[in-house]
Structures are given as C-alpha cells and as structure tokens.
C-alpha cells in the first residue's frame, strides 16, 4: 500500500512537473519554476556535476526567432496554442573554469547545443557565489588581524562584493574584490567602510587569492547614518498626511499570465535575471483603423554602467556594469505595497535560478498600477465663442515598476504607458551613496583632489556616473523601419520677401547606415524618430515615434581608458542597429572583466544598412552625480528618463474621443479607514 | 427719511470700502476688489476721464521694498499688523495716446507719483480693447465683402487679436492685427482660419487703419476639427476608469488668505494680471536647526516668448510675448474641479481690473493640492545584514496650479513643492495649435518650404517655439548669495599612480559679474547653483540650491533679427543679475511693440558684480515645436520644466525622519460614489 502510494506520488510529481513545465501561454513568458527544475535536471545529469564544480550563472529564455513570435501573435485564437514556437532555455554555466553556453529544448527535454566560450570576460556573478566568497575573510587570519588592528569587533563586520573590471591585464582569472563595512550601531553599513584593505577572491577557486592592508583610516561613526524608522530619535518630520485611493469600478487593466491589457494598450511583461523586466509586443489600438498597431517589439535595459571617479587603489576598479555583472533582474527586490507602489497596484512575482539551478522566488517583483497624478491629458478653454467652452481630460496612465537594489543603490525602473500613445521610461536613483572613508572632517583640510564631497566626519561621497542603456526594438506598424533625424535649421531671409531676417525650418535626414545614427544629443536642434517609410498618413506624413530625451550626459572618461573601452556603448546617447538576435547586451554577453570587444559600439562599426530595415534604437540615460549632503545618509530620489512619443503615427490626437473618467469627489464612507 | 437712508447707505458704502480696502494680511497680497475700486475712483477723478479716453492697461501691487517685506516677516506676531509696509498700487494707464505710470497710495488714498512714459513699446493690451476692436470688421464693408467673396456666412466668422511685433519701423502706433476664423459646424475656430486677409486696428483710435485682402485659400473643413465631447460621434475610446481620492484626516495644507503652509514648507501665492501666480517668501523648516529657512524670495514667469516660423505676409509678425502683450494673469481661466485639478484640491480666486478699473473675478483661478502620484521619496532594501531591512517613503508633494489660455494655447503652470526641499516648475502645453490655411492636401504637393506640418486637408500646423523665462529671486538663507558653476572636468592620469587613465572631478567657479553667468546649457557638464557663501555646513560645504534643468532649447533665429532682439532674454538659458526692483519683466515693462531696449539681455550688459550679493536667477524653459498629426485637432499635453534642488543646504537628507504617511488600502465604504 505504501509502495503504491509512493508510486502514485512519484507519478503525480512527474505529471505535475510535465504539466507545469509547459504552462506558458506566450512565447516570451519567462521560464517558470518547473522549467528551471527541468533545465537543472537535464544539465546536471549530462555533466554529472553540481555546485561548486558546475554552477548556473544564467538561465533564461532562449528567445524564439522574431518571425516565429510574430507569426504566433498573428495566428487566430484557436490555433494559437499550437503555433507556440519551441520552448528553449539558454544556460550559461561555469564548469571546470570554462563558460559553457548550453541550449536546452524544454519540450524535447534535451540539450540541443553546447558551446565552450573562449573569448574574454566572464558571465554574470550569482548571488550564491558572491555570498560564499563574502564569508571567506572571516576565516582568513590576515583579515581578522586587520580588523583587530582597527580596534573593531569582527562580529559586526560585513563584506560585500565588487567586480574588478579590466585594466589592461593580459590574463584574467574570474575574481572579485571584497569591500568590508562596520555595522555596529547602524543599519547603514555602506556609510561605514573599512578603508585600506584589498581582498581579492577567486570565484572559480572560491578562495582569497590576494590580500593587502595598506593603510588605516577611521571608520566613520555610526551616529547620523541610521535610516531605519524605528531607530530614529525625535524630532520627527515633516508630517505627511495619509490618503486612500478608490476605484469604484475596479482597475482598468487586466493581467492574463504576463500579458497586460489596459485602455488602448496591450503588451507583455517578461522578466530576465539579467535585464529585469522586459516589455514586449506593445501595441496600441487605433480607433480610426479599428485595430491594434505594433509600437515596440521588445524593450529592456540592456546595460547599466556606473563608473566611480576615484583613481586610488581602493576605488579605481569601481566601474560597474550593473546588468552584466550583477544582474538587474537578480537584484530586483520585493516591492512594499502602499509604499513602493500605491494602493491600487497589482503585483507579479518573478523567478530566477540560483547557481544550483533551483528556482528562487521574488515575491511582488513587479507592480502594475494606474497612475492618477493630477495631470491633464489635454484641455482647452474657448472664450471667443458666444458660450464659453471648457473641455478637460485628466491624465491616467499605466505604470509597470520594479526596483533593483544593486548593493547600496536602489534603482526604480518605471515603464509608463499613456493613452495618447507615449511610453515613458522613468529611472529613479535612491538608496545609499558609494562612500569612502577619509581622515578629513572639514573641507578646509582638503588640499588635493578628494574625488568626492565631504558629507560628514570621515566620509566622502565619491563622484560617479549612471548610464542606463535601453534596448528599444521599435516596430512601427511593422518591422521595416527607418531612423530619421529632423534637423531644425536656421534659414536666413536674403531677399525683401519678409520683414523677418530669419526663421527655422526642418531638414529631414534618413540614416542610411549605422554611422549616420550615432548621435550625441544636445549639440544640435533635432528631432529623432523611428518611422515606417512604407506607411503614411492621409496627408502623406511618415508614421513614426520620436525619442523625447530627458536627462542626457556625455561620458567624461577618455575613450581609450579601460573602463570607457568596456563602456563604449555610452560614447553616444543614441545608436541604431539592424535587428540581430545576438546583439542583446550593449556591454557584451560576458560583461564581467570584459575588454570591450563585444559592445554596441563595436557592432555599430560594421556600419550596416539601417534604412527600411528591422532596426533597434539604443538610448542611454546618463546622470553625472556629484553627491551632496542631502544624499546622506540615504538619498532622496533623483529622477531621469525619456519618452517615446507618437509623431504622425496617428491621423489625429488618439485621445480626442476618450471620455472623461468618472473622477468622483469622495465615495460615501461611513467610517474612517 | 429717504435722504437719511441714502446718507446711511453712502456712509456704509464708504465704511465697507475702507474696511475691505485694507483687509490685506500680507505685504505681497494681490490687490483686492475694494482696492481696485479705490484706485479706479482716485485715478478717474484726477483725470476726469473714463474709457475710452482713459484706460487702465495694468493695475497691480506696487511691490514694497524687499527690506520692508523682510522686516515685516521677521517681526513678531503681535506687531506684525502694524509693521505692514505702506500699500501702493502701480497703474499703467493709456491717456491721450500716452502711457502713464501712476503710483497710488491706498492708505493715503492719493496719487503719489505720475510719470509719462516716453520710451518705445506699449503696455499690455486689455481684454476689453481687444474685444472692442475684434468686433470692428463686422461693421467694415471691405471685410464683409471679403467674407462674401469666400462664400462664407459672416454670422459664423469670429476675429481674434494678434500683437504686431516690431520690424524696424521708426514710428509705431498702438496697433494690433485681427485674425479671423470660421466657426460654422465646429467649436474649433483656430483650425479654420480665413487666410489672406490683413486687418490692422489702432487700439487708441479704436478703428481699422489698414486692410488688405491678398489671396483666397480654402477655409479648412469643419469635419475632424471638433473637440467638444458632446459633439463627438462613436467610436469612443480609449476608456479610462474612474477613481476617487480620500484623505481620511483631511488635507495636509492650510491656506490663510494667500499664505500656504504644508509639511515643512510655507510660502505665499500672489497673483498679477501680467505674471499670473507669483510665489513669494518660500521657506522650508529645517528639523536640525529648528527653524524656517528662506529659499525663494519671489518666483514667477517673467516673460513668455512664442515666435512662429513663417516669414510670409500673414504670419511673419507672430512673435508673441504672451506675458507682456496679453498677460498670463489676465489669461488665467477657471479650473474645472475633478479634471484640471484632482478631487483633493482647494481653489483660490483671482481679481484683475478691466480697462475701466472695475474688478473682474476669475473663480477657481489657482488650485492647490497634494500630489500622490505613486512615486517614491526614498527607499532602500538591505540584504547584506542578518535580517532584511526595507525602508520606503512614498512621495507626497504640494502643487500650485494655474492654466493660462492665450488664444489657442493652454499653458498649465505648476509649482510643485517637495518635502525633500525641491521646488519643481512644470509647464504643460496643450490646447489648439497655431494653424494656417493652405491649398495643399498632401505632402507630395509641397515643393517649397511650407513652414510647418500638413496636418489635414488645407491645414498646416506652423513651426514655432515656446520660451518661458522664470524670474527666481532665490535667497538662500539670506539675501547675500553667489552663483557657482561647478564644472565637471576630465583629469588625465599621467603618472603610474593608478591603473586608470582618467576620471572627472569638479572645478567650482564663482561668477564675479553678470557676464560670467550668461550660460547656454548642454554644451558642458556643469552643475549650477545659487549658494550662500557666508553659510556652510558642519563639513564646510557652501549651502545652496542647484538648478536641475529639464527641457532646454537654444534660439535658432538670428540674433539681429527683430523678434530675437525683442526676445534677446532667451539668448542664454541662464542669466544672473543683482536684485533690482525695477528689473521685473525680462522682455521689458512695455513689451508690446518693444524694440529690445529694456530686456534682461540689455540689463545684463551692465556686467554688474553678482558675488555675495542679493541676486536673481533667470532661467528659460525652451521648446521647439514641430507640430505632428497627434497635435490635431487638440494637443495632448507636451511637458517641460526644471527643478530647484537643495545641494548642501541641509546637513543631511531633510526627509530622513519623515514618517510614512498612512496610505490606507481602501476606506470602508457602504456604497459606491
């Protein structure tokens, strides 16, 4: 009987495994827990190995060919399930100090290809291996002595990891550097670095391979560093009043698996351990054409370059590629309802595979909410007619949000969809600054470059940059698109035809090849758009979407400096490339210790034709950050972003005939919440 | 008996007049209706004239000297009413074709000074005189014939006004041009211009002084131009769901007259017929110093330059100064509750004087509301410690909003105060485009410059710019301030001290004179701040506020072109001047037909010392506008703006100890609203 039950349970387990492994509805759905388990089983069985001898550095969806996805999308509802493209996973594993690229077919339950990567650079670091090596110093005698020498209690020391970058070394091992902090008396470890110590750990060997204790600088005091509410002392303030938000007829969006529909939009929200949220197949309903029209095939943050500006021994290497080295998806943190997202938000969970292939759940990884910010979608008051006319439409938009906490920094990543057709990408920088210890306690003591701002006693907030490079595979009403720069140029009136001496006009210029589309913004008055040269409005304007840039920064590192060679994809604010399935990561697939051989900047040098082709727009949001005292001990959010805005995509204002939502004054409530 | 009653009523009238005329609480309160009546009475009596022989072009508060206002502010509550500076009104009247500047003392009920203005340019145009001359064509036979010739019904024609600018004329009369539109079958008159007709009216003579009918172009059809909801035909959409907003413990702000306090902010909201809302004496409470600290003495939109880019006869002159010619305050429209502002808004009325001096009320002219947009004030998730820490503070801010509708365009003007110390100025452009008639119906027909975008049959949206120049009299913790450019400069590492070849560092540069502070943004990595050089943080950083620019545009007109001579205050994105009570209007006090002799650009040429002085920051938000079909027949809001953000103004994050507002899920409601 017991045996029978056991067999039954085993059967059930396999059955449920099989079932759930195939329960994806959309070809771009992220891998689900059952699929991770299946991949894990297949790979571990094939290699007869598990961590630490075989580690999964990356498991993600091996994206089906775009043609297959599009043909699936256009198939009718009945046959849709049957036209789902084959489901494959891409595995990057570390095995015997090699990086393996393994493609697993999930329906066939087998490995379909394996490649040993022989180029430069290493795959993303897992949380597990970082945790492992972070614990090594505490068993490493020289480190213990260094802590003692500083008069600190080692039980309050915590070490975190930093990628090492590349500085011209010919041979590289897969290493990282450990950064240690003191935690006694404050939760804000990043404000209290132990400076002067270099600990290099080998991630494949899982041991400390280099150690120096060069100098001793006071660890900043705990006082004034705390940010946890329960540990604060009065006076408190400022006081902000509470509020509640009610949607009497429910939210306007529907979530079906990973597909979201709202107002005139539909799109898919995927997730990847490296990229974080990925928005796919975003289409907008055209009231006039009575159909959905595709805008964005796929959009995500491709790389995120954060170079610090301190060239000294303890800091020079801090030139992070937060996506390729640490994983913006792996770093996503659970969102707190009513604080990270408003009361009317819905939440999606996310799953990634640990280094052992076991799925790890991030609850409330992504939230989706309708934003009622009090903005105005459009309006006009007309006083020239007999009766005054006043027509106002309040703005409502849909936000998809996640927060990635990469060590000290918290990055708020918003995708905002507007009924008027705009997609706004928002980036919020908050969390804790990268700070270094110093002997200074007053600016007057500083006689040479301190590489940052003195924020408090013994504490410098180091100068740095943030460059978020977005991959935006726009498909304006189809794949064949062109990139058009509409330059605004001054025309001098040379005859007597006008009392004016000048005006400006537009000179459109279609980019033929990639070289035409490498652009530094802000130097020239110009509108940049992706258009469909084969589709025009009734009046004959080419249908398109334009890039409305927000915060723009140009790199200040020398282009031949090592970090900038690796981060060369930020050399221009805009690139356009022909669609190429393999050109996904602007800093290269193997970004850790990369040497800049596989970046967007290198791909673009092939100078391929981009006219009337399936093209990808790459845009970098850049922020130079000079820390200030307000950023201490925790930073008020600093915001940036940009907008993709329809330009002659519609025949007219697409929200002209949108009725005003019932924005009611107050619901009838008989008690306070 | 009747006589007695009459005397009694007369007495009552004077008494109530006296009482209400003095019921201002704050020296910067705008003039109230009783005060307008008082001014009117005094001036009309003195000149023994009323419209049209004497017209009030401007009546506003004659600002008390800054020192008096500050000394009033710092006086104690008991003596405050007594230290109110003398109350004076500035009148600009048009009398016998002269512009008079009359200062009226309201407490003494007398004129204290009169000046006849002899320079170039004319005062703001009143609504009344514009209305008057707009009706003239309908009694003017040549115009009636022009309308007939076009086969139009004159009862559906409406004429609006346009300022004429200045194009090198030596002698100028006070004229304007009339623009006529056809209204049959659509509320959207601006989409249906009667092109080819020039009507020039003299505002002093109140008659048509020039008339041409040069050519006939089809008036665009009514079809597709309507924007009024009740006149739309299906299909409707997209559908946006309704919502309600509840603050269980009430709003967090208090309005006392024109003074507003909220969270850690207090400030005064004034109003002026020309400027619109004026924000004064904005101070923020410093939790550490336990006192309010002044940030902004006075901020408002000083001028608003809107040049169109069509040099042909019917359009070349359209180079508007919307503030100085039309009045952003006069053009404020009543806000619609639940649409222009959310449910939790409070409203302020505004009053201006008509040309006869009689007060005109704008109900709901300004709204004030707490904005809960779902943003995050600051956050951090800490995974490196034993127990996960997650601290999140949602963002709440306070918005002061008005909308000025200047003819076709609606300008949404927001002042947003954040508890973290930032003040964000938001500008939204919506309403109707400036459109011209054309014979074109398809882009392929256009063989020469059309000066705009073909939006529909016979309709071109004309290229143009918007430049909003803000007057920002920052007083960072006192009047004596300096302007510091912190340039980010690349440093080349020339020795072997670092594996890095470069980094950037900051090179601060204090502007000595006005020439050092004329800045075009975007060309150089730089942070711009107003600091108090006499106040520093404990660590020794100078306390300041920095300008975080948003949308920036550089003028494309030639600097010696007439419109740009008048709009020369936009030649730089930033100017800094020493405080000078008379330097209020960037385009000059007499902006209509001005010749650029009294602009910010001219004042700045004096190259005065601005170091450690009471200084004013001028910042221009610029937008080049290439119309697109989505802007037709009414424009989805296009947004711009900038931020003033504390930088080392506080010792630390000023919202570190702000408790999380009670953002409740849903109130208990027993019925739907």
């Amino acid at each position: 009987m017991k045996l029978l039950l056991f067999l039954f349970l085993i059967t059930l387990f396999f059955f449920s495994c099989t079932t759930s492994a195939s329960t994806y509805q959309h070809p771009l759905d992220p891998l689900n827990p059952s699929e991770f388990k299946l991949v894990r089983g297949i790979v571990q069985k094939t290699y007869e190995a598990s961590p630490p001898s075989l580690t999964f550095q990356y498991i993600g969806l091996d994206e089906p060919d775009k043609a297959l996805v599009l043909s699936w999308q256009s198939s009718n509802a009945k046959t849709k399930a049957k036209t789902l493209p084959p489901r494959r996973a891409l595995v990057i594993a570390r095995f015997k100090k090699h990086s393996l690229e393994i493609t697993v077919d999930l329906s066939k339950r087998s490995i379909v290809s394996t490649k040993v990567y022989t180029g430069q650079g290493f795959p993303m670091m897992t949380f597990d291996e970082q945790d492992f090596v972070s614990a090594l110093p505490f068993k490493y005698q020289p480190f213990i002595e260094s802590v003692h020498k500083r008069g600190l209690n080692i039980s309050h020391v915590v070490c975190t990891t930093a990628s090492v970058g590349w500085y011209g070394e010919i041979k590289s091992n897969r290493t990282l550097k450990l950064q240690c902090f003191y935690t006694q008396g404050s939760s804000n470890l990043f404000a209290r670095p132990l400076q002067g110590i270099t600990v290099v750990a080998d991630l494949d060997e899982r041991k400390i391979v280099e150690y120096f204790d060069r100098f001793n600088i006071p660890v900043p005091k705990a006082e004034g560093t705390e940010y946890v509410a329960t540990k604060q002392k009065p006076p408190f303030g400022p006081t902000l009043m509470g509020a509640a938000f009610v949607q009497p007829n429910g939210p306007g969006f529907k979530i079906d698996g990973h597909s979201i529909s709202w107002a005139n939009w539909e799109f898919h929200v995927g997730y990847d351990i490296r990229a974080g949220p990925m928005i796919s197949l975003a289409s907008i309903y055209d009231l006039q054409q009575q159909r959905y029209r595709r805008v964005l095939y796929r959009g995500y943050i491709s790389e995120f370059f954060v170079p610090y500006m301190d060239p000294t021994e303890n800091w020079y290497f801090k030139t992070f590629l937060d996506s390729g080295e640490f994983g913006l998806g792996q770093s996503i943190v659970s969102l707190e309802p009513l604080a990270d997202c408003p009361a009317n938000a819905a939440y999606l969970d996310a799953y990634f595979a640990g280094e052992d292939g076991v799925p790890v759940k991030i609850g409330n990884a992504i939230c989706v909410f309708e934003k009622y910010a009090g903005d105005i979608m459009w309006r006009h008051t007309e006083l020239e007619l007999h009766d005054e006319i006043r027509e106002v439409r309040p703005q409502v938009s849909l936000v998809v949000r996640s927060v990635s906490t990469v060590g000290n920094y918290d990055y708020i990543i918003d995708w905002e969809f507007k009924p008027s057709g705009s997609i706004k990408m928002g980036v919020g920088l908050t969390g804790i600054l990268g700070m270094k210890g110093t002997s200074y306690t007053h600016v007057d003591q500083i006689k040479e470059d301190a590489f940052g701002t003195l924020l408090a006693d013994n504490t410098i907030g180091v100068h740095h940059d943030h460059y978020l490079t977005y991959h935006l595979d726009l498909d304006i009403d189809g794949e064949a698109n062109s990139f058009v720069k509409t330059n605004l140029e001054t025309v001098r009136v040379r005859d007597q035809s006008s009392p004016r001496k000048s005006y400006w006009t537009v000179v459109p210029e279609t980019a033929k090849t990639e070289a035409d589309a490498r652009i530094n913004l802000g130097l020239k008055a110009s509108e940049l758009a992706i258009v469909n040269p084969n589709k025009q409005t009734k009046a004959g304007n080419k249908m398109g979407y334009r890039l409305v840039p927000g915060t723009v920064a140009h790199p200040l590192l020398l282009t031949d400096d090592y970090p900038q060679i690796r981060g060369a994809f930020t050399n221009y604010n805009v690139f356009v490339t022909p669609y190429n399935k393999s050109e996904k990561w602007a800093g290269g697939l193997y970004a850790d210790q990369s040497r800049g051989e596989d970046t967007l900047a290198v791909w673009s040098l092939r100078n391929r034709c981009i006219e009337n082709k399936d093209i990808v727009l790459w845009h970098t949001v850049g922020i130079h950050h000079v820390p200030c005292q307000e950023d201490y001990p925790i930073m008020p959010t600093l915001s940036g972003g940009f907008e993709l805005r329809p330009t002659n995509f519609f025949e007219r204002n697409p929200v002209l005939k949108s009725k005003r939502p019932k924005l009611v004054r107050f619901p009838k409530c008989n008690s306070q919440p």
Side-chain angles (χ1 to χ4, degrees), chain A residues 475-550:
Chain A
D475 279 3
I476 302 302
D477 230 356
E479 294 94 276
N481 286 181
S482 292
F483 178 66
V484 177
K485 290 181 271 187
T486 300
N487 298 315
L488 277 56
E489 294 185 2
T490 303
V491 181
R492 193 183 279 267
V493 180
R494 293 181 188 278
D495 55 18
Q496 298 304 309
S497 65
S498 171
R500 290 270 281 267
K501 295 182 183 174
S502 64
Y503 64 96
W504 60 255
T505 194
V506 293
V507 182
E509 185 189 336
T510 301
K512 305 282 179 201
T513 66
E514 291 176 279
D516 300 333
R518 289 177 217 132
I519 291 168
N520 270 327
L521 294 167
L523 307 177
K524 200 171 165 176
S526 191
E527 293 203 343
L528 306 178
I530 299 282
V531 304
N532 187 326
N534 316 299
K535 297 271 175 81
Q536 47 181 243
T537 61
K538 187 168 160 283
N541 295 301
K542 294 210 173 46
M543 292 176 165
Y545 258 71
R546 73 182 175 99
L547 171 70
V548 184

Side-chain angles (χ1 to χ4, degrees), chain A residues 439-460:
Chain A
S439 54
Y440 301 129
T441 54
H442 195 278
V443 165
D444 291 347
Q445 298 158 353
I446 305 175
K447 301 297 173 206
E448 45 191 23
D449 202 334
F451 315 115
T453 308
L454 187 70
L455 302 172
D457 287 357
N458 311 120
T459 309
I460 281 174

Side-chain angles (χ1 to χ4, degrees), chain A residues 80 101 125 133 193 209 226 327 356 422 430 500 598 601 650 672:
Chain A
K80 214 154 193 149
E101 287 170 29
M125 298 182 281
V133 299
V209 291
E226 188 58 78
D356 55 2
S422 285
T430 176
R500 290 270 281 267
D598 180 31
F650 295 103
Q672 287 198 354

Side-chain angles (χ1 to χ4, degrees), chain A residues 356-378:
Chain A
D356 55 2
V358 173
V360 177
K361 177 179 169 174
I362 309 172
N364 291 359
I366 296 171
C367 74
V368 181
F369 62 91
E370 284 167 293
K371 177 171 165 177
Y372 293 75
D375 295 329
I376 299 170
M377 189 158 78
W378 60 260

Side-chain angles (χ1 to χ4, degrees), chain A residues 28 61 63 66 268 270-272 278-282 296-300 415 471-475 584 616:
Chain A
L28 298 174
L61 177 70
E63 271 183 47
K66 192 167 170 177
H268 180 270
Y271 163 84
D272 178 79
M278 301 180 97
I279 304 295
S280 307
L281 290 164
L296 183 70
Y297 177 71
R298 208 145 163 78
Y300 56 91
W415 292 77
H471 168 112
L472 300 162
D473 182 0
L474 288 155
D475 279 3
K584 226 171 138 170
V616 177

Side-chain angles (χ1 to χ4, degrees), chain A residues 578-600:
Chain A
Y579 173 80
N580 181 334
K581 195 183 152 181
S582 71
E583 293 176 359
K584 226 171 138 170
W585 309 108
L589 178 58
Y590 295 88
D592 182 35
Q593 297 182 49
S594 64
R595 301 184 180 187
E597 293 154 337
D598 180 31
T599 71
L600 170 57

Side-chain angles (χ1 to χ4, degrees), chain A residues 113-289:
Chain A
S113 78
T114 305
K115 193 183 113 184
V116 180
Y117 174 69
T118 55
Q120 298 298 340
F122 299 109
M124 232 183 72
M125 298 182 281
T126 67
F127 272 178
D128 302 301
E129 63 191 358
Q130 292 179 68
D131 285 348
F132 187 91
V133 299
S134 294
L136 293 176
F138 302 92
K139 291 171 281 182
Y140 188 75
Q141 204 51 41
F143 179 76
I144 296 167
E145 279 162 26
S146 294
V147 173
H148 278 230
K149 206 171 69 187
R150 284 168 171 77
L152 304 175
N153 179 345
I154 199 156
S155 70
H156 293 300
V157 174
V158 158
C159 296
T160 69
T161 55
S163 49
V164 297
W166 172 67
Y167 291 88
E169 303 86 1
I170 297 188
K171 192 181 170 307
S172 311
N173 293 323
R174 199 162 77 91
T175 55
L176 53 64
K177 289 189 177 176
L178 294 173
Q179 308 286 299
C180 304
F181 301 92
Y182 204 52
T183 68
Q184 191 175 36
S186 173
S187 321
N188 194 337
L189 57 129
F190 295 105
R192 309 184 64 206
L194 271 67
Q195 218 68 76
I197 299 172
T198 303
V199 194
V200 183
D202 187 297
L203 281 167
D204 291 325
E205 302 272 358
R206 305 212 162 191
K207 67 177 190 194
I208 291 171
V209 291
E210 218 180 304
Y211 187 83
F212 295 104
D213 184 355
R214 285 190 171 82
F215 56 86
N216 181 2
I217 271 174
V219 171
K221 291 190 291 277
E223 190 200 337
T225 67
E226 188 58 78
Y227 60 89
V228 171
T230 52
K231 295 182 181 164
Q232 298 295 349
K233 285 174 197 141
F236 295 103
T239 304
L240 301 172
M241 300 303 270
F245 188 81
V246 192
Q247 292 182 293
N249 303 307
F253 60 87
K254 276 186 198 147
I255 304 183
D256 177 17
H258 288 79
S259 296
I260 296 180
S261 59
W262 172 77
N264 46 357
W265 280 103
E266 56 178 35
F267 58 90
H268 180 270
V269 181
Y271 163 84
D272 178 79
I273 185 173
R274 178 163 176 173
M278 301 180 97
I279 304 295
S280 307
L281 290 164
S283 299
I284 187 163
Y285 189 78
D286 187 319
L287 211 60
Q288 216 155 356
Q289 296 193 16

